[in-house]
């Protein structure tokens, strides 16, 4: 980069003041005032940092001069420096829960239910929606708290039983299991007769709200829907709503235009006798409109809602902050999309109600507020799965081609990392965080990386036994000889989403570790080789992954596979491979993970994960019905040092050798000579 580059200039710049900024904005053809730019910057800073630190500049004007770019960066730095320190912290001060209790009492309430989530019931949320973390300190992806006047409970599932004790003050909150003793059951026992328990209807689905209502009724209490969240009232430095650019997702990657997708959706609504559908899942919105954003971590989403009418001539109503939409996106959306302020959603739902419309809402992601508003206005409510969920899950040929290209690129980066790890891990110089950071550097150097697809799980020794472990400076272990290291990571590329887990032996593994690893591998191979008739669900295949472990009296407590999006969510429905019943049949084009595991608490963890795509099976001699199979997408060697060869049958050995031969053939030409030498040894025949 030369000395006159914008990045270098920005480093030397200080903010020259609003008058100077106003002049530069005018020259760029922007109609925004400095005050509006300040508000915009606050929203940008409330979104996750983008790898391209200047990506947000497109929200100011289509073309930005170096001088304007430098001033925008300087203003952003000035505003960021003036912001308070991160509010989320382990075991926050008692003053926060005391302030919440005072606010609850002021509203004449006896308690408040707070789940971890946002208005879309999403897995990843913006900093503004991290209310549970601010109040309790808990940063996991699933949890809830109930705060009463004299007691409070914190609910987490089995993934977070250790984490919750380090983050949440046990003198302020009782620890409870989210599944074994869910919030509604605890509330039924503790609400008290005559009590008034508040909840934010934006943060609960209709089903969740109904469970709470019934629990309160059984306790002789009342569940009260609140117009404003009491946590927001006491969280004085709560971040604003995030603002990130929502940009068009090219048809070369999407495979189908937004107009084609909408036409299919309108046809489906008509066939089912519906007048409209409310799209509340941001990944469905992104898929339907062929846009991608950056409002939440790890998933390229632009938060918003949409109303799609069965009348093809009606414009799609998009309720989204217009500041997220640069000129190119407005042109992409065209006249077929009517962009409205998010605050106008209520009026839009009221209009549907007044017309007596039959309206579909997503029973999984639609906030209770949406259902209540529609029903209260007179709409006929039809609660079902989002109409975008299944077509989004069944990738078209362009999306599958993108997934293959992304996995090839990702595989090359991962192999470079694995070769480096094989050299460096035995030295004992590296800890979990440093190794995770090193993998990110390899990925960033390997192609058009947009983000990681989730927080990397980097677990050495006993930390690998914590299924959803997240390393922190306090917990990060040094990687040393004679331990197992588990690395679960993924990336977001413009053409695809990846997710891969490898378990590596540092030094010499024990016979027990090799036995357990090989049983996990047998389960992985069983899924990879499966042939199954059309109509089969992932729940019906799950036993294949567990059989070898069950024969030794072993098992694992997570699902075997989750759906994965096309440059979208790394956890995508409606399909999965799991013990939990699921009636959704696996269909060609679906991408799902294949990740059996084994975890010995306090010792080590093992997981082997590839992504696979459902496809038509190759012809089978004598077959009497069509069959489906899986195409493995992930390309990275499996640690042969952990394989007990005699535990594999001939077919399993053939599969492993063929997989490794494919990895060498496809990844070998993409890496340097030293890495290729390591790869040849790592993929040798078993």
């Amino acid at each position: 980069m030369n000395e006159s580059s914008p990045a270098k200039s920005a480093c030397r710049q200080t903010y020259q003041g609003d008058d100077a900024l106003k002049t530069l904005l005018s020259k760029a053809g922007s109609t925004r005032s400095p005050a509006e730019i300040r508000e915009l910057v606050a929203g940008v800073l409330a979104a996750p940092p983008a790898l391209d630190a200047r990506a947000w500049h497109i929200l100011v004007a289509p073309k930005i001069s170096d001088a304007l770019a430098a001033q925008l960066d300087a203003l952003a730095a000035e505003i960021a420096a003036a912001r308070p320190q991160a509010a989320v912290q382990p075991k926050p001060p008692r003053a926060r829960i005391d302030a919440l209790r005072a606010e609850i009492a002021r509203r004449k309430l006896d308690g408040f239910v707070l789940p971890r989530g946002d208005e879309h019931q999403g897995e990843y949320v913006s900093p503004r929606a991290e209310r549970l973390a601010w109040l309790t300190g808990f940063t996991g992806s699933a949890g809830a708290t109930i705060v009463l006047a004299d007691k409070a409970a914190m609910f987490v599932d089995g993934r977070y039983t250790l984490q919750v004790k380090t983050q949440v003050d046990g003198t302020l909150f009782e620890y409870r299991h989210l599944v074994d003793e869910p919030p509604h059951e605890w509330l039924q026992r503790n609400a008290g007769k005559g009590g008034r328990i508040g909840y934010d209807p934006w943060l609960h689905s209709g089903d969740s709200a109904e469970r709470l209502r019934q629990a309160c009724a059984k306790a002789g209490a009342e569940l009260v829907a609140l117009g404003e969240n009491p946590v927001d009232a006491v969280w004085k430095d709560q971040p604003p709503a995030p603002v990130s650019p929502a940009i068009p997702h090219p048809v070369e990657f999407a495979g189908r235009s937004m107009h084609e997708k909408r036409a299919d959706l309108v046809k489906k609504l008509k066939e089912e006798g519906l007048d409209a559908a409310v799209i509340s899942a941001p990944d469905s919105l992104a898929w339907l409109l062929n846009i991608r954003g950056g409002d939440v971590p790890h998933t390229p989403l632009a938060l918003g809602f949409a109303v799609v009418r069965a009348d093809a001539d009606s414009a799609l109503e998009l309720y989204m902050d217009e500041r997220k939409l640069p000129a190119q996106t407005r042109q992409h959306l065209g006249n077929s999309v009517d962009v409205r302020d998010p605050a106008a959603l209520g009026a839009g739902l009221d209009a549907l109600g007044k017309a007596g419309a039959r309206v579909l809402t997503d029973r999984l992601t639609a906030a209770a507020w949406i259902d209540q508003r529609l029903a209260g206005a007179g709409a006929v409510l039809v609660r079902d799965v989002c109409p975008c969920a299944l077509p989004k899950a069944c990738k078209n040929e362009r999306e599958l081609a993108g997934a293959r290209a992304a996995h090839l690129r990702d595989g090359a980066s991962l192999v470079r990392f694995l070769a480096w790890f094989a050299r460096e891990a035995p030295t004992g110089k590296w800890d979990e965080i440093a190794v995770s950071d090193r993998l990110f550097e390899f990925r960033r150097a390997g192609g058009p990386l947009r983000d990681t697809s989730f927080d990397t799980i980097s677990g050495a020794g006993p930390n690998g036994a914590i299924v959803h472990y997240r390393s922190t400076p306090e917990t990060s272990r040094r990687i040393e000889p004679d331990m197992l290291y588990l690395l679960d990571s993924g990336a977001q590329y413009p053409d695809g989403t990846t997710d891969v887990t490898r378990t590596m032996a540092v030094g010499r593994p024990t016979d027990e570790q090799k036995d357990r690893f090989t049983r996990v591998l047998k389960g992985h191979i069983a899924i990879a080789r499966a042939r199954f008739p059309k109509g089969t669900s992932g729940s019906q295949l799950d036993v294949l992954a567990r059989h070898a472990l069950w024969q030794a009296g072993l098992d694992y407590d997570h699902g075997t596979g989750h759906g994965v999006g096309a440059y979208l969510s790394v956890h995508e429905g409606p399909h999965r491979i799991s013990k939990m019943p699921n009636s959704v049949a696996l269909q060609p084009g679906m991408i799902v993970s294949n990740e059996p595991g084994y975890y010995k608490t306090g010792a080590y963890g093992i997981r082997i994960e590839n992504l696979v795509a459902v496809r038509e099976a190759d012809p089978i001699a004598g077959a009497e019905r069509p069959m489906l199979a899986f195409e493995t997408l992930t390309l990275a060697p499996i640690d042969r040092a952990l394989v007990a060869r005699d535990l594999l049958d001939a077919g399993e050995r053939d599969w492993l050798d063929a997989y490794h031969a494919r990895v060498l053939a496809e990844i070998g030409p993409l890496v340097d000579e030293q890495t290729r030498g390591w790869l040849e040894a790592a993929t040798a025949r078993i």
Side-chain angles (χ1 to χ4, degrees):
M1 186 177 291
N2 59 49
E3 284 298 314
S4 62
S5 69
K8 292 260 186 182
S9 299
C11 293
R12 296 194 298 266
Q13 286 283 340
T14 57
Y15 185 56
Q16 301 298 313
D18 287 0
D19 288 342
L21 178 61
K22 184 176 181 179
T23 299
L24 292 169
L25 289 170
S26 178
K27 289 181 179 179
S30 173
T31 59
R32 299 192 190 277
S33 68
E36 290 173 324
I37 295 296
R38 286 179 178 276
E39 290 185 2
L40 175 67
V41 169
V44 168
L45 294 174
L51 291 186
D52 179 0
R54 289 187 161 182
W56 68 275
H57 287 187
I58 197 173
L59 300 178
V60 176
K63 294 183 179 180
I64 301 288
S65 66
D66 289 353
L68 177 54
Q71 282 301 289
L72 292 173
D73 290 342
L75 176 60
E78 182 179 281
I79 294 174
R83 290 188 306 172
Q85 294 297 314
V88 174
Q89 55 185 280
K91 298 184 177 178
R94 184 187 184 100
R96 293 185 182 178
I97 193 171
D98 288 344
L100 178 60
R101 283 190 167 119
E103 178 65 18
I104 291 171
R106 188 186 69 79
R107 300 188 188 196
K108 295 181 172 53
L109 298 170
D110 298 289
F112 180 66
V113 183
L114 178 66
R116 194 270 183 186
D118 65 2
E119 296 84 350
H120 309 274
Q121 324 304 311
E123 177 181 8
Y124 293 109
V125 302
S126 70
R128 178 178 179 78
E130 290 283 12
R131 298 176 179 90
L132 187 66
W134 177 84
L135 181 67
T136 69
F138 176 69
T139 60
S141 63
T145 187
I146 299 177
V147 178
L148 303 180
D150 59 347
K151 65 176 65 175
M154 181 71 213
F155 302 84
V156 300
D157 62 30
R159 296 172 295 175
Y160 299 114
T161 52
L162 297 178
Q163 178 178 327
V164 70
K165 294 177 181 178
T166 65
Q167 293 184 323
V168 179
D169 191 339
T171 67
L172 301 178
F173 298 87
E174 303 173 9
Y175 303 133
R176 291 290 180 263
H177 197 286
L178 188 63
V179 178
D180 297 342
E181 188 183 9
H184 65 275
E185 292 184 2
W186 188 92
L187 190 61
Q188 181 178 332
R189 290 192 296 273
N190 292 277
K193 190 173 182 179
R196 299 179 75 248
I197 307 299
Y199 80 107
D200 183 344
W202 274 112
L203 304 184
H204 298 262
S205 68
D207 289 345
S208 172
E210 179 59 20
R211 285 192 294 270
L212 294 174
R213 187 196 66 77
Q214 292 181 10
C216 285
K218 290 176 182 178
E222 177 188 4
L223 184 68
V224 181
L226 303 179
E228 296 181 1
N229 193 303
V231 174
D232 296 353
V234 299
W235 186 358
K236 300 305 181 184
D237 55 355
Q238 183 182 26
V243 178
S244 69
I247 60 174
H249 185 54
V251 173
E252 65 179 287
F253 297 143
R256 304 186 73 218
S257 72
M258 58 173 281
H259 303 292
E260 292 173 305
K261 293 177 181 180
R262 185 183 169 198
D264 286 349
L265 178 53
V266 167
K267 180 181 178 182
K268 179 179 176 64
L269 294 178
K270 288 181 177 179
E271 289 174 349
E272 297 185 2
L274 296 163
D275 298 303
V278 178
I279 308 300
S280 51
D283 61 332
S284 290
L285 191 63
W287 174 84
L288 180 62
L289 297 180
N290 282 350
I291 58 173
R292 298 295 188 267
D295 285 346
V296 300
H298 306 304
T299 311
L301 304 178
L303 299 181
F305 299 90
V307 173
V308 182
R309 297 177 183 267
D311 178 5
D313 295 328
S314 297
L316 179 147
E317 299 165 20
L318 175 61
Y319 296 89
M320 181 178 288
D321 187 336
E322 61 85 20
R323 297 177 301 170
K324 298 178 186 179
L325 305 175
Q328 67 185 85
T329 307
R330 289 184 174 276
Q331 182 177 5
H332 162 74
L333 296 175
N335 295 329
S336 63
V337 175
D338 180 9
V339 180
R340 302 184 180 184
D341 190 289
L345 177 61
L349 301 181
D350 290 345
L352 290 171
K354 289 175 183 177
R358 286 176 51 84
V359 184
L360 174 67
T361 64
D362 184 354
R363 58 182 172 81
L364 298 177
T365 68
W369 186 94
I370 292 175
D371 289 348
Q372 293 166 5
R373 186 77 178 233
L374 282 167
V380 178
L381 201 61
V382 179
R383 301 178 67 245
D384 205 339
V385 176
C386 175
C388 297
L390 189 59
K392 172 167 56 68
C394 297
K395 314 298 184 288
N396 58 53
E397 285 305 316
R398 286 279 186 90
E399 289 172 316
L400 289 172
R404 295 183 189 105
H407 278 85
L408 187 63
R409 191 184 316 115
D410 197 60
S413 298
L414 187 57
V415 165
R416 294 185 189 101
F417 163 81
L418 291 172
W420 171 87
F421 182 85
R423 296 191 302 270
E424 292 293 327
T427 67
K429 298 178 181 178
W430 299 83
D431 67 9
E432 295 166 346
I433 293 177
V435 169
S436 176
D437 290 345
R438 194 75 179 92
L439 173 58
F440 178 79
E441 292 170 7
F442 277 107
R443 279 198 168 111
R444 190 168 188 176
L449 182 68
R450 294 292 183 263
D451 196 354
T452 54
S453 54
F454 55 94
D455 289 320
T456 297
I457 298 172
S458 174
N463 286 344
I466 304 171
V467 176
H468 284 259
Y469 171 70
R470 182 177 179 183
S471 189
T472 67
E474 294 75 29
T475 65
S476 183
R477 283 181 175 269
R478 192 167 294 278
I479 297 166
E480 298 173 338
D482 299 326
M483 68 163 45
L484 297 189
Y485 173 65
L486 186 152
L487 182 67
D488 187 348
S489 69
Q492 293 283 13
Y493 300 101
D495 48 357
T497 301
T498 70
D499 181 3
V500 52
T501 307
R502 289 296 182 264
T503 305
M504 290 83 81
V506 182
R508 188 172 181 177
T510 67
D511 289 343
E512 177 189 279
Q513 290 170 341
K514 293 175 69 174
D515 175 272
R516 304 305 192 250
F517 182 92
T518 307
R519 291 181 185 278
V520 171
L521 177 60
K522 288 169 74 71
H524 180 93
I525 294 172
I527 294 292
R529 296 170 63 195
R531 300 290 183 272
F532 48 95
K534 293 182 178 181
T536 301
S537 72
S539 299
Q540 293 171 289
L541 299 182
D542 184 75
V543 64
L544 299 177
R546 300 177 191 270
H547 178 73
L549 288 165
W550 285 355
Q551 301 314 298
L554 309 170
D555 202 0
Y556 52 95
D557 292 330
H558 58 76
T560 298
H562 55 82
V564 177
Y567 185 36
L568 276 174
S569 175
V570 76
H571 295 139
E572 177 181 86
H575 59 295
R576 62 176 180 265
I577 303 175
S578 172
K579 286 181 182 179
M580 294 179 62
N582 182 0
S583 60
V584 178
L586 296 171
Q587 299 183 34
M590 288 180 169
I591 295 177
V592 63
S593 65
N594 172 11
E595 51 178 313
Y598 169 76
Y599 310 92
K600 185 171 183 178
T601 302
Y604 59 86
I606 294 167
R607 187 159 64 250
I608 305 170
E609 178 185 17
N610 286 344
L611 297 191
V612 298
V614 183
R615 63 174 179 84
E616 301 282 349
D618 295 334
I620 301 173
E624 297 180 353
R625 61 180 62 188
M627 303 295 281
L628 299 176
F630 291 119
E631 170 193 353
T632 296
L633 300 173
T634 306
L635 296 168
I638 295 167
D639 193 347
R640 294 166 62 259
L642 280 164
V643 178
R645 185 180 185 280
D646 292 343
L647 273 180
L648 298 178
D649 63 32
E652 292 165 337
R653 291 194 294 270
D654 287 346
W655 182 92
L656 184 59
D657 286 339
Y659 176 70
H660 276 158
R662 180 186 166 205
V663 171
L664 178 61
E666 296 193 36
I667 300 297
L670 305 179
V671 296
D672 58 90
E673 185 175 349
Q674 182 182 21
T675 300
R676 181 181 172 87
W678 174 86
L679 182 60
E680 289 173 348
T683 56
R685 293 179 61 83
I686 194 67

